[in-house]
Amino acid sequence: MQPIRVHLSVLIVLLLVAISVPLMGLTYEQGKKAAITGAEQQMRLLGRHAIDRYRSLFYDGFATVKIAAALEQLNSAPPAGFEANKAFLVAALQGSPFIDGIYVGYPDGSFIHAVNMADNPRWKKRLEAPDAAVFALRTIERDQQEGAVSTWRFLDSEGLEFGSSTTSDVNYDPRRRPWYKAAFRAGQPVAVGPYVTAMTQSLSLTLSMPMQQNPRVIAGIDVLLETISEILAKEAVSPNGRGFIFDREKKLIVHSDKAMMDKILAGYDPSKAEGTANALTEDPTVEAVRQLLRVPEPQPDRMVRFTIGDEPYLAQISTVMFSDLVKGNTIVITAPLSDFTGPNVELLRRTLLVAAAVVLAGILAALMIARIISRALYALAGEAREIGNLEVEPRARTMSWIAEINTLGHALDSAREAIRTFALYVPRELVRRIVSAGQSGADNGLRQEVSILFTDIRDFTTISEQHSPEQVVDLLSSYFELCNRTVEHHNGVIIQYLGDSIYAMWNAPSPDRDHAADACRCALALKGAIDDYNRANRLAGRPELVTRFGVHSGEAVVGSVGATARRQYTAMGDTV
């Protein structure tokens, strides 16, 4: 059996846990679902945005090369129409920041090429261009007598020339390049690559097409795949999100991580291809996504969940359908699910901390409340024990903010006052000993050995006649108080007050092995105490109460005698 404070504390804690745990679980699940739903929507939007940027990039490039193929002035090999051609090429680069270079190759091996050095610093380093140079324009002029001459002209942001370099050591022939050959053979626009550019060793994709008026003249533009990688990295869906582009053979051509792009670039070098293939395995997401792409799927735009190890991932897969030039390329946006549910887990952690604090506060509050309640109940229980022991002296009432405890305290106060009043008429020690001896309910007396003491005041009638009733009562009360205290001190109990006499008994109701000796000692003690009492009375001018004592031991019938509603504990028989 546990104290009430333990029960109250356990009950309150259980209630707090029963309420807080489901709420925390519900909060976590709802937050997790909302985070995943939001992540899927965000990734769908990002996938569509990436497709739009990819479309915009190639449409801009295709539109530019298509315009170039329609310009009559570009049909003539340099130096013919140089200024007009320069103005167009620079304007094309200014209008499309994603184009690395625009060029035209001629059937005699002549070549004109404009590049944007601001967006690709490798050009400036490769050409050792002035710091102020923004664009560079190259012409290769071929003459049967003088051979080939290559000239690089450096232009500022407005296209104004402020420097150049010329060389006759020309080993570049556009007619041998893949972009020229593919467009010439196809007789229509083609996409070539990815491949590594000759001048800057950049990974590029080329769009080229024959000129409308002369199919042997081929116009082309270069789009750097690194630029696409930067776009994917800049618009990453999460801190650990990744963007990929696979070609129609499911070969990775773009990775949003710059270090991985360097490995992809190295992979197009035959001497480094094997090492690069091994290096790409450093990103386990690549192979996992490649496995997803091998599963036929009719929908060009889909959301997929997959796992790498024990880590769940989300992937938005979007297949390029907008152009035959890059049709079949696939853009994939991936991110670990924890990037989206992580904040929710952190929220759950904070919720758990708050809940733990609330539970702890609840425990402290429960202990405090239980202590307040139990302290009041313990106080009331102490009062009840005192009343049971007939210790009924007045004391401060136990107060509480609980109405029921106050009601109980009031009831105990009433009981204390009632018993205290009743004890004035019934010998308190007698009742206490009867209860402790277990004889309160006895209907028949028990025969046993007892010692009896009777006292009598000599000439008490005369004393009563000579003094007022009030004086007699006061005198007798102090006399009985002295007698009662002395008898109880010697293990006896006063059974009755008989006028001016007392009737005391030993060995009942409580057993007393030395009852005869105790009775004798009590008589002697009473004699001495009453003598002192009388001396004080003489000095105060009060009458002396000369007392006679009778002590006897023997068998008697001891028990409760009387009617059902009114009984008296006494001893009867010849001994008495």
Side-chain angles (χ1 to χ4, degrees):
M1 185 177 296
Q2 298 296 328
I4 187 172
R5 62 174 178 269
V6 174
H7 293 287
L8 283 175
S9 301
V10 171
L11 179 61
I12 294 176
V13 170
L14 289 177
L15 286 174
L16 288 172
V17 171
I19 294 172
S20 59
V21 169
L23 287 177
M24 287 188 293
L26 182 62
T27 301
Y28 174 72
E29 288 301 324
Q30 292 297 326
K32 182 178 179 180
K33 290 179 181 177
I36 294 175
T37 302
E40 290 178 347
Q41 292 176 350
Q42 188 176 357
M43 291 186 70
R44 285 191 184 95
L45 291 174
L46 185 59
R48 295 190 186 108
H49 184 62
I51 285 287
D52 291 341
R53 295 295 294 270
Y54 203 52
R55 179 189 292 112
S56 174
L57 188 151
F58 279 97
Y59 275 177
D60 287 352
F62 183 69
T64 301
V65 76
K66 192 172 183 180
I67 293 172
L71 286 178
E72 182 178 355
Q73 65 195 44
L74 287 176
N75 283 286
S76 300
F82 173 76
E83 289 299 328
N85 292 339
K86 181 185 75 169
F88 167 74
L89 296 176
V90 170
L93 293 177
Q94 290 173 332
S96 184
F98 299 123
I99 296 177
D100 181 58
I102 180 170
Y103 41 81
V104 181
Y106 298 89
D108 64 351
S110 298
F111 186 59
I112 184 169
H113 183 194
V115 297
N116 188 339
M117 291 189 293
D119 292 333
N120 187 359
R122 292 191 186 122
W123 278 111
K124 186 170 290 189
K125 182 178 180 181
R126 179 71 174 78
L127 300 176
E128 298 180 354
D131 291 339
V134 176
F135 303 104
L137 184 65
R138 181 188 192 187
T139 58
I140 298 177
E141 301 174 16
R142 295 186 183 273
D143 186 272
Q144 292 182 353
Q145 285 78 26
E146 298 181 5
V149 176
S150 175
T151 302
W152 279 102
R153 295 173 175 84
F154 303 112
L155 314 174
D156 62 15
S157 59
E158 301 299 326
L160 299 177
E161 181 179 339
F162 62 88
S164 65
S165 65
T166 302
T167 179
S168 59
D169 183 13
V170 180
N171 56 13
Y172 182 84
D173 189 340
R175 295 168 296 183
R176 298 193 183 97
R177 300 302 296 171
W179 57 269
Y180 187 98
K181 293 178 180 180
F184 182 76
R185 284 195 299 266
Q188 62 182 2
V190 295
V192 180
Y195 67 95
V196 179
T197 59
M199 291 292 289
T200 61
Q201 300 297 301
S202 300
L203 191 60
S204 176
L205 194 65
T206 296
L207 300 179
S208 60
M209 65 183 298
M211 299 290 287
Q212 293 180 5
Q213 296 180 3
N214 186 356
R216 298 183 64 191
V217 179
I218 306 299
I221 63 164
D222 287 335
V223 177
L224 296 183
L225 296 183
E226 296 163 48
T227 302
I228 303 174
S229 171
E230 293 172 1
I231 294 172
L232 292 176
K234 188 181 298 183
E235 299 178 355
V237 69
S238 71
N240 297 301
R242 293 289 183 267
F244 312 96
I245 298 180
F246 293 84
D247 65 13
R248 61 191 65 184
E249 281 77 33
K250 311 309 177 191
K251 181 179 180 181
L252 181 65
I253 60 175
V254 176
H255 194 296
S256 60
D257 184 79
K258 185 179 184 304
M260 298 302 292
M261 276 303 298
D262 292 339
K263 292 180 172 62
I264 293 174
L265 175 62
Y268 284 89
D269 184 344
S271 64
K272 302 178 182 178
E274 182 178 352
T276 302
N278 293 332
L280 287 175
T281 60
E282 295 176 6
D283 187 352
T285 315
V286 174
E287 185 56 34
V289 172
R290 189 178 282 117
Q291 293 294 333
L292 294 176
L293 297 181
R294 288 173 182 160
V295 178
E297 177 59 51
Q299 295 180 348
D301 188 10
R302 65 188 187 275
M303 179 69 65
V304 180
R305 293 191 190 184
F306 65 101
T307 58
I308 299 177
D310 296 329
E311 179 78 15
Y313 275 72
L314 284 176
Q316 171 65 29
I317 301 175
S318 303
T319 304
V320 176
M321 304 295 291
F322 56 79
S323 172
D324 290 338
L325 297 178
V326 288
K327 188 174 182 179
N329 286 10
T330 305
I331 299 176
V332 182
I333 308 296
T334 69
L337 199 59
S338 59
D339 280 5
F340 307 102
T341 58
N344 190 57
V345 172
E346 177 63 20
L347 175 62
L348 176 63
R349 188 185 70 82
R350 291 197 298 268
T351 304
L352 286 173
L353 290 177
V354 172
V358 170
V359 171
L360 180 60
I363 293 174
L364 295 177
L367 292 174
M368 186 178 299
I369 294 172
R371 182 176 180 182
I372 292 173
I373 295 175
S374 61
R375 184 167 56 187
L377 290 177
Y378 282 140
L380 292 176
E383 291 185 37
R385 283 193 296 271
E386 289 177 359
I387 293 173
N389 293 330
L390 301 180
E391 299 172 8
V392 291
E393 297 304 319
R395 56 174 293 174
R397 180 184 296 178
T398 300
M399 300 300 295
S400 172
W401 47 269
I402 299 176
E404 289 78 2
I405 292 180
N406 287 330
T407 301
L408 181 59
H410 181 72
L412 286 176
D413 283 346
S414 299
R416 178 189 296 275
E417 183 63 25
I419 294 176
R420 190 174 71 85
T421 303
F422 181 71
L424 298 175
Y425 302 96
V426 178
R428 185 183 308 175
E429 187 62 26
L430 173 61
V431 176
R432 184 183 293 119
R433 292 191 181 187
I434 290 174
V435 171
S436 63
Q439 299 177 6
S440 57
D443 291 330
N444 300 316
L446 299 176
R447 181 181 291 273
Q448 65 181 86
E449 188 83 10
V450 295
S451 293
I452 304 296
L453 168 67
F454 280 98
T455 67
D456 178 65
I457 299 175
R458 185 183 66 189
D459 297 330
F460 184 74
T461 302
T462 303
I463 294 172
S464 299
E465 292 173 348
Q466 295 174 349
H467 295 82
S468 67
E470 289 81 5
Q471 290 176 326
V472 172
V473 170
D474 181 63
L475 188 66
L476 200 58
S477 294
S478 58
Y479 171 80
F480 281 157
E481 177 66 27
L482 183 149
C483 294
N484 185 71
R485 186 167 59 247
T486 305
V487 170
E488 289 183 356
H489 181 71
H490 289 83
N491 301 319
V493 60
I494 294 178
I495 301 299
Q496 252 181 306
Y497 293 104
L498 304 170
D500 64 306
S501 302
I502 63 171
Y503 167 19
M505 183 166 58
W506 281 260
N507 200 35
S510 299
D512 182 0
R513 295 178 60 184
D514 296 328
H515 57 89
D518 284 343
C520 293
R521 292 190 194 97
C522 180
L524 293 174
L526 282 172
K527 175 67 171 64
I530 293 172
D531 287 346
D532 292 339
Y533 177 74
N534 286 330
R535 280 193 292 271
N537 282 350
R538 283 197 302 272
L539 293 175
R542 293 191 299 268
E544 299 182 41
L545 302 180
V546 180
T547 305
R548 297 168 292 201
F549 304 92
V551 181
H552 188 44
S553 293
E555 284 190 349
V557 176
V558 180
S560 297
V561 179
T564 303
R566 177 70 172 86
R567 306 178 73 81
Q568 181 177 356
Y569 186 82
T570 189
M572 301 180 67
D574 292 340
T575 299
V576 178

